[in-house]
Amino acid sequence: MQTLNYHIDEQQVRVLASIDGKEISLPALWLRERCQDTENVDKTTKHRLFDPHQLDTDLALTRVEKKSELRASLTFSDGYSGEYDLSEFNADFDHLDGAPAPRPWKSDIDKSVFHVDYHSLHSDKGLIAGIEKFLTYGVIIVDNVPQNLDATIEVAEIFGHVRETNFGKSFEVYSRPNSSDLAYRSVPLGPHTDNPYRDPMPGIQLLHCLQNQAGEGLSTLVDSLSVLEQLKKEQPEGYKMLSEVPVRFRHFDSEVDLVERRTIIESDATGKVTGIAYSPRLDNLPLLNDGDLITFHNARKRLGQLLSSPEFEWKFCLQPGQLQMFHNTRVLHGRTGFDPNKGLRHLHGAYIDYDAPKGRYKLLKQKMSGQ
């Protein structure tokens, strides 16, 4: 956790921020845009009532006055003067935006950290704990979920809003010969990202086990953040190419033909790696010169090997009444093959966007702390 302090320098007319011991002077334009009075900022929505894009670039601070430890009065060269609560700036320096830091994991992790009880999610305290686990590890296993289709949607809506696709508001996974997606067959499925051909990709997938009479078809999960750490050590040039060179993903059926181009290694706007878009059944090797093509392919090949390595991949039997919820691009999922003649394996799935549980977590934390 970073240390953050502020200092008002009245003599040199500056506002200073100290971040982990490194001191920076906050620019006048940056401060002016963040004015906090009700004439300029709506009290309820926190939306601005002015257009800061039109501020002059040569703005300067003309006077600063410390009011208390975290309050100051600031006056600017355009004539504006207002009081500031400096703690309002804290969010600007929080690169996690109030969320817990992700913890990469391997298959030897204590799996109890993933489990939450369905009934606990109906209280604010239990929901905060569940979301915190999810944001930390990229996956939770919800136990004691009622074994019906409505329960899948109920859990999805506890965390966010259901994302409807061409597969519907939800989808049922069981063996169907000649289906338009291999997920609806009994063949094994290696670790993969769902819907990399869609923009945006679904952020979160839920899979609820209703029946598993086959005794086979083990679920698999693997944290791509741990795998990517290893790949970067082994093949830095290939890792860089997977981060920069887009590939083409495609899905088509009788109703739609979806195509999207994206890099295999995914990053957010700050450059922080968030996961991967990976599905060997749906991607196409990009056209590169011979040397780059070999580098790219070797990195992609090694990535697939690591994703299926026992060191990283967790295999388990998802039991009836259990629901796995995972970050679609961080924690890849798969399934071992099974014999549908031995009994029904029936899962019910849905998608939600990733931003919803993050937003609910932050709001619930504020509510619980009385802010």
Side-chain angles (χ1 to χ4, degrees):
M1 182 179 294
Q2 67 181 10
T3 58
L4 182 60
N5 298 294
Y6 301 98
H7 173 63
I8 302 300
D9 185 344
E10 295 184 2
Q11 288 189 333
Q12 297 192 44
V13 195
R14 297 185 301 171
V15 179
L16 303 168
S18 176
I19 307 166
D20 289 336
K22 181 181 180 181
E23 197 168 67
I24 59 171
S25 179
L26 300 178
L29 181 59
W30 190 92
L31 291 164
R32 176 67 178 85
E33 180 179 271
R34 285 161 175 77
C35 63
Q36 299 168 4
D37 61 279
T38 54
E39 282 190 21
N40 287 282
V41 181
D42 181 74
K43 185 176 181 181
T44 303
T45 64
K46 303 300 183 184
H47 293 177
R48 295 192 190 101
L49 301 173
F50 72 106
D51 183 358
H53 298 188
Q54 304 307 314
L55 291 170
D56 291 335
T57 55
D58 59 354
L59 266 171
L61 280 165
T62 58
R63 184 170 179 271
V64 296
E65 181 183 359
K66 182 176 180 179
K67 294 293 185 178
S68 64
E69 190 62 31
L70 287 171
R71 292 197 73 84
S73 175
L74 308 181
T75 302
F76 297 82
S77 57
D78 65 353
Y80 174 78
S81 181
E83 282 207 12
Y84 284 71
D85 176 357
L86 303 182
S87 67
E88 290 287 322
F89 300 155
N90 292 355
D92 286 289
F93 304 109
D94 177 13
H95 67 280
L96 293 171
D97 295 320
R103 276 189 220 165
W105 53 268
K106 298 182 180 181
S107 61
D108 61 356
I109 190 173
D110 177 2
K111 311 304 187 301
S112 65
V113 300
F114 298 144
H115 286 263
V116 299
D117 186 77
Y118 162 80
H119 300 285
S120 72
L121 298 175
H122 293 81
S123 71
D124 287 349
K125 183 178 180 181
L127 183 54
I128 287 174
I131 298 177
E132 186 164 297
K133 284 190 175 190
F134 174 76
L135 296 176
T136 301
Y137 300 107
V139 60
I140 55 173
I141 306 295
V142 184
D143 297 311
N144 302 312
V145 180
Q147 289 169 237
N148 59 65
L149 301 180
D150 291 341
T152 311
I153 301 301
E154 182 199 352
V155 174
E157 291 180 341
I158 287 174
F159 288 96
H161 308 286
V162 174
R163 166 87 174 275
E164 189 165 357
T165 70
N166 57 298
F167 297 114
K169 187 175 182 179
S170 63
F171 48 91
E172 296 181 66
V173 183
Y174 55 87
S175 182
R176 299 175 224 170
N178 301 317
S179 58
S180 62
D181 195 296
L182 292 181
Y184 306 127
R185 313 278 183 89
S186 59
V187 298
L189 299 176
H192 63 281
T193 306
D194 260 27
N195 294 197
Y197 47 78
R198 199 182 298 280
D199 183 25
M201 286 184 285
I204 297 169
Q205 183 171 178
L206 300 91
L207 287 172
H208 176 202
C209 183
L210 300 176
Q211 292 189 61
N212 192 358
Q213 300 165 350
E216 299 171 337
L218 297 180
S219 297
T220 66
L221 294 172
V222 56
D223 187 357
S224 67
L225 297 187
S226 282
V227 167
L228 289 174
E229 288 177 357
Q230 183 64 30
L231 180 66
K232 191 174 185 179
K233 290 176 186 175
E234 294 183 11
Q235 299 189 24
E237 286 303 312
Y239 177 95
K240 186 172 184 289
M241 290 194 73
L242 296 186
S243 303
E244 296 177 352
V245 179
V247 301
R248 180 176 179 267
F249 294 92
R250 183 192 182 203
H251 165 85
F252 72 96
D253 56 32
S254 60
E255 297 181 354
V256 70
D257 191 342
L258 295 167
V259 175
E260 185 57 39
R261 289 172 173 82
R262 53 172 29 101
T263 57
I264 287 178
I265 298 178
E266 297 269 304
S267 301
D268 65 15
T270 68
K272 180 179 66 178
V273 172
T274 56
I276 57 179
Y278 184 82
S279 183
R281 295 174 287 126
L282 301 169
D283 68 338
N284 289 279
L285 193 66
L287 183 60
L288 303 166
N289 65 54
D290 289 348
D292 286 344
L293 192 68
I294 291 171
T295 300
F296 185 97
H297 179 66
N298 282 338
R300 190 179 66 165
K301 180 178 181 180
R302 183 57 178 153
L303 175 60
Q305 292 169 347
L306 291 170
L307 288 169
S308 297
S309 165
E311 180 183 356
F312 296 100
E313 187 182 45
W314 172 34
K315 291 183 180 180
F316 63 102
C317 183
L318 191 68
Q319 299 292 338
Q322 287 187 323
L323 180 150
Q324 56 179 337
M325 184 176 105
F326 49 89
H327 184 181
N328 182 40
T329 57
R330 174 184 168 180
V331 175
L332 276 64
H333 67 294
R335 178 193 69 212
T336 63
F338 64 97
D339 183 352
N341 296 315
K342 290 185 177 179
L344 179 65
R345 183 183 185 272
H346 186 188
L347 306 183
H348 186 222
Y351 299 118
I352 59 176
D353 289 323
Y354 186 69
D355 58 353
K358 279 184 68 177
R360 291 190 177 179
Y361 176 79
K362 191 171 182 178
L363 194 65
L364 284 168
K365 290 281 281 187
Q366 293 170 354
K367 178 182 174 182
M368 296 289 282
S369 64
Q371 294 180 4

